[in-house]
């Protein structure tokens, strides 16, 4: 069990980000700190000045984790990234929800512009950042206009060349007026190349030029101009601050580092997606005494990336691995694109690997026993389930549940667990299309048929990262014999061989065992396997209920009426104005429906038949 008071004593006096979890292990708050030791302790000290919401949040905290950084600036950027990724419940009030700006060069245009953007889109533009100071970004863009004379208008060039007079920027010598054809596309392109060179971090030439201009203006007693150059110089220095936590290249990569002690090791993985560090995870390994970091990483890469559905284009490692070229070939074949393995020796990338190593060492020192318990709670529990069912290995489990909305519309939920942990990106929800009424078996048949037909189609088309490409090692049904048999029939029709078992409940709606191979298998209620089965069952039900909430209200009525032949936007609105609920429409007669403005007898019959056939 996580002992908060004991863990508070182990906090480092380092800047970083702390992550609060509730009893369901959901992230409920992410914050930054100059000193993790001082800041996190404040939440658990008696004080009347916390505020109501913070006091409420603290009552829900069951454990916390943290990531150390080199500076508060890096902690700030990382905090933003993690909040965007996880949407913690209590962050809406307690933090500034602004986004950090990028510098965008519209390289997809014939005459590119340099603009500020709050989002990184998948377009032909080049993005740099994100940066923590919006004003510094504006100043830098202004500097670029002054030095390189790029346009900032939205005119469509070269189509609109010569159609309008040049703007003020041309007259104040901040634009070379490509809108008038005063500069060729080739010459303009040279300036764009210099801008990209500058934004890639080559600041020395610009800094030197600005300093020379500032000194020259000062010697000429042009103090206002000297001050202007000084301010621009300071702005460039702000933008030039390197952020190890953000990679402006926008690439996907994993950063791996290891810490080991006797027969225990922890591999820390930083996940960088689109140039942002969106999260991290650590993995506990049992090793032989004295094994090198290189050997541990070599084994870990093989085991971890054999099961993960996504492989980034680059792995950055703490140490060279013996089978680098072989691993690169293997990873590239799994990804379908080239994968590189690199060991940074200097600069920000090397420091990022070092941060991963430091975090791995802290986890190993602080959490050896907790990691072992966590392994038992997840991987250990999966092994117990596999043993109960006589299966060799289980990596991925999918659980299904059916729920009804007002006895009319049914929805299905699919939750996914890998290595004993929920994999929420793979969760799927289904709105039942072909079943009327509360027919759970028919609804389940439709859900499973759609799920695996989609998967088979994606596999046939060699879709690498499709929604349904990965198949489970075990299917868990929220029910007993009936639900299991429905699943087995669907799999048999699709020629699939996947084990299926039911999660059987007692008369008090509590899990009591598993139904597998036509017999009920009892489970020790105190075992980790039982706890994991219960968590999966609750999660499948929760996910279905959450979908119900999204379908409630008029949006539900809208979506259902859209499925009726002959009912378009006008008739749909007329029905909604006449009737307060879906049940009222369902209970109306053909004659009553036909009297509604814009309806006719044919449309009324169509509505009636939709609800009654």
């Amino acid at each position: 069990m996580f002992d908060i008071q004991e863990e508070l004593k182990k906090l480092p006096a380092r800047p970083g980000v702390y992550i609060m979890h509730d009893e369901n292990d959901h992230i409920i708050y992410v914050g930054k700190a100059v000193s993790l030791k001082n800041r996190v302790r404040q939440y658990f000290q008696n004080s009347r000045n916390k505020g109501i919401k913070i006091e409420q949040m603290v009552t829900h905290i069951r454990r916390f984790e943290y990531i150390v950084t080199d500076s508060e600036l890096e902690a700030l950027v990382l905090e933003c990234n993690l909040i965007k990724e996880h949407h913690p419940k209590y962050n809406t009030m307690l933090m500034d929800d602004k986004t950090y700006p990028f510098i965008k060069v519209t390289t997809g245009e014939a005459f590119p512009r340099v603009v500020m953007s709050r989002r990184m889109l998948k377009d032909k533009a080049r993005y740099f950042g994100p940066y923590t100071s919006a004003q510094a970004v504006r100043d830098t863009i202004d500097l670029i206009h002054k030095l390189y004379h790029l346009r900032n208008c939205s005119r469509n060039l070269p189509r609109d060349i010569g159609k309008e007079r040049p703007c003020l920027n041309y007259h104040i010598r901040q634009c070379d007026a490509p809108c008038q054809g005063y500069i060729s596309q080739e010459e303009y392109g040279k300036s764009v190349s210099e801008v990209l060179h500058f934004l890639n971090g080559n600041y020395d030439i610009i800094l030197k030029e600005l300093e020379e201009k500032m000194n020259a203006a000062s010697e000429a007693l042009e103090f206002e101009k000297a001050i202007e150059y000084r301010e621009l110089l300071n702005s460039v220095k702000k933008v030039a601050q390197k952020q190890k936590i953000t990679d402006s290249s926008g690439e996907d990569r994993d950063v791996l580092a290891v810490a080991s002690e006797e027969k225990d090791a922890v591999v820390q993985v930083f996940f960088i997606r689109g140039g942002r560090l969106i999260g991290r995870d650590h993995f506990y390994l049992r090793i032989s005494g004295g094994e090198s970091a290189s050997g541990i990483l070599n084994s870990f890469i093989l085991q971890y990336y054999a099961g993960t559905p996504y492989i980034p284009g680059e792995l950055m490692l703490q140490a060279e691995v013996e089978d680098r070229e072989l691993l690169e070939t293997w990873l590239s074949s799994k990804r379908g694109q080239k994968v590189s393995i690199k060991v940074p020796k200097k600069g920000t990338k090397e420091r990022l690997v070092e941060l991963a190593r430091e975090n791995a060492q802290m986890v190993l020192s602080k959490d050896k026993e907790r990691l072992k318990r966590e392994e038992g709670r997840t991987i250990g529990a999966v092994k117990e389930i596999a043993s109960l069912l006589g299966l060799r290995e289980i990596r991925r489990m999918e659980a299904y549940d059916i729920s009804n909305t007002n006895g009319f519309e049914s929805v299905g939920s699919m939750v996914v667990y890998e290595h004993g942990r929920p994999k929420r990106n793979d969760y799927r929800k289904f709105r039942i299309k072909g079943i009327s009424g509360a027919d759970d078996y028919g609804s389940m048949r439709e859900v499973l048929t759609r799920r695996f037909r989609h998967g088979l189609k994606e596999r046939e088309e060699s879709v690498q990262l499709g929604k349904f490409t990965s198949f489970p090692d075990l299917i868990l049904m929220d029910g007993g014999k009936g639900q299991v048999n429905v699943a087995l029939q669907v799999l048999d029709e699709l020629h699939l061989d996947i084990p299926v078992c039911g999660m059987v409940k007692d008369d008090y709606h509590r899990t009591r065992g598993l139904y597998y191979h036509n017999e009920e298998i009892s489970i020790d209620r105190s075992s980790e396997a039982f706890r994991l089965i219960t968590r999966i069952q609750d999660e499948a039900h929760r996910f279905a209920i959450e979908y119900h909430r999204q379908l409630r209200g008029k949006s539900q009525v809208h979506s259902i009426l859209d499925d009726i032949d002959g009912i378009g936007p006008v008739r749909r609105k007329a029905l909604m104005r006449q009737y307060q609920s879906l049940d009222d429409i369902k209970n109306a007669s053909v004659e009553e429906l036909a009297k509604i403005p814009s309806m006719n007898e044919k449309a009324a019959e169509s509505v009636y038949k939709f609800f009654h056939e």
Side-chain angles (χ1 to χ4, degrees), residues 45 88 94 126 167 169 192 201 205 213 236 289 385 387 412 417 442 446 459 463 485 492 501 504 518 551 579 603:
Q45 292 173 346
L94 299 175
R126 289 280 305 277
C167 65
N169 286 336
V192 174
I205 296 175
K213 289 184 176 182
V236 174
I385 295 171
S387 177
Y417 276 63
E446 178 182 324
R459 288 187 169 192
V463 178
N485 286 338
D492 184 60
C501 74
V504 185
N518 295 318
L551 292 179
Y579 298 103

Side-chain angles (χ1 to χ4, degrees), residues 131-365:
Y131 302 103
T132 55
S133 171
Q135 187 57 49
V137 169
R138 293 188 187 98
D139 289 345
T140 303
I141 292 174
D142 183 53
L143 167 68
I144 289 171
H145 289 147
K146 290 179 179 179
L147 292 178
Y148 299 105
H149 303 170
L150 299 189
R151 70 186 182 105
N152 64 1
C153 64
S154 58
R155 296 178 185 178
N156 189 334
L157 302 180
R159 188 193 69 185
D160 295 337
I161 288 179
K163 289 187 177 181
E164 297 181 33
R165 292 181 296 176
C167 65
L168 178 63
N169 286 336
Y170 168 71
H171 297 289
I172 62 175
R173 298 181 182 179
Q174 289 192 17
C175 179
D176 287 332
C179 61
Q180 301 301 307
Y182 294 165
I183 182 173
S184 68
Q185 189 172 338
E186 291 74 21
E187 286 297 316
Y188 191 92
K190 292 179 181 177
S191 296
V192 174
S193 296
E194 292 181 17
V195 169
L196 295 174
H197 190 68
F198 163 69
L199 291 174
N200 272 316
N202 300 291
Y203 304 105
D204 293 342
I205 296 175
I206 299 301
L207 290 171
K208 183 179 180 181
E209 182 178 341
L210 282 174
E211 190 168 356
E212 288 175 352
K213 289 184 176 182
M214 180 183 68
N215 293 333
S218 179
E219 291 175 3
L221 304 181
E222 296 177 343
F223 298 118
E224 290 185 4
K225 187 174 287 188
I227 290 173
E228 180 183 350
Y229 284 127
R230 185 191 68 188
E231 294 301 320
L232 291 171
L233 187 66
N234 290 335
S235 296
V236 174
K237 288 179 179 179
K238 286 182 182 179
V239 175
Q241 291 182 27
K242 299 292 186 178
Q243 297 180 21
K244 291 183 289 297
I245 294 304
T246 302
D247 175 11
S248 63
S249 68
E251 295 178 358
D252 290 357
R253 54 167 59 96
D254 287 353
V255 180
L256 288 72
V258 62
S260 60
E261 181 180 316
E262 297 178 352
K263 294 187 177 181
D264 297 314
V266 169
V267 172
Q268 181 85 39
V269 183
F270 285 174
F271 305 105
I272 298 176
R273 301 293 180 261
R276 296 187 300 116
L277 176 56
I278 63 169
R280 61 88 185 257
D281 207 348
H282 53 253
F283 302 86
Y284 177 80
L285 293 89
R286 295 288 292 178
I287 62 172
S288 302
E291 190 169 348
S292 67
S294 174
I296 297 170
L297 288 172
N298 200 95
S299 299
F300 174 78
I301 290 170
L302 278 171
Q303 295 174 50
Y304 176 69
Y305 291 101
T308 186
Y310 179 71
I311 299 173
E314 182 176 291
L315 306 185
M316 294 199 318
L317 308 184
Q318 165 190 359
E320 291 283 359
V321 289
E322 182 179 353
D323 301 325
R324 182 179 65 83
E325 292 183 3
L326 184 61
L327 288 173
E328 285 180 336
T329 302
W330 176 66
L331 291 168
S332 298
S333 66
K334 286 182 64 65
R335 174 181 163 84
Q337 293 177 311
K338 181 175 175 55
V339 177
S340 300
I341 297 177
K342 298 181 179 178
V343 181
K345 300 297 184 183
K346 60 181 180 179
T348 57
K349 291 182 179 180
E350 188 275 336
R351 182 57 191 145
L352 185 57
V353 173
E354 177 60 20
L355 280 177
R357 190 203 64 78
E358 290 178 11
N359 278 274
Q361 185 61 58
M362 288 184 180
V363 170
L364 182 63
S365 301

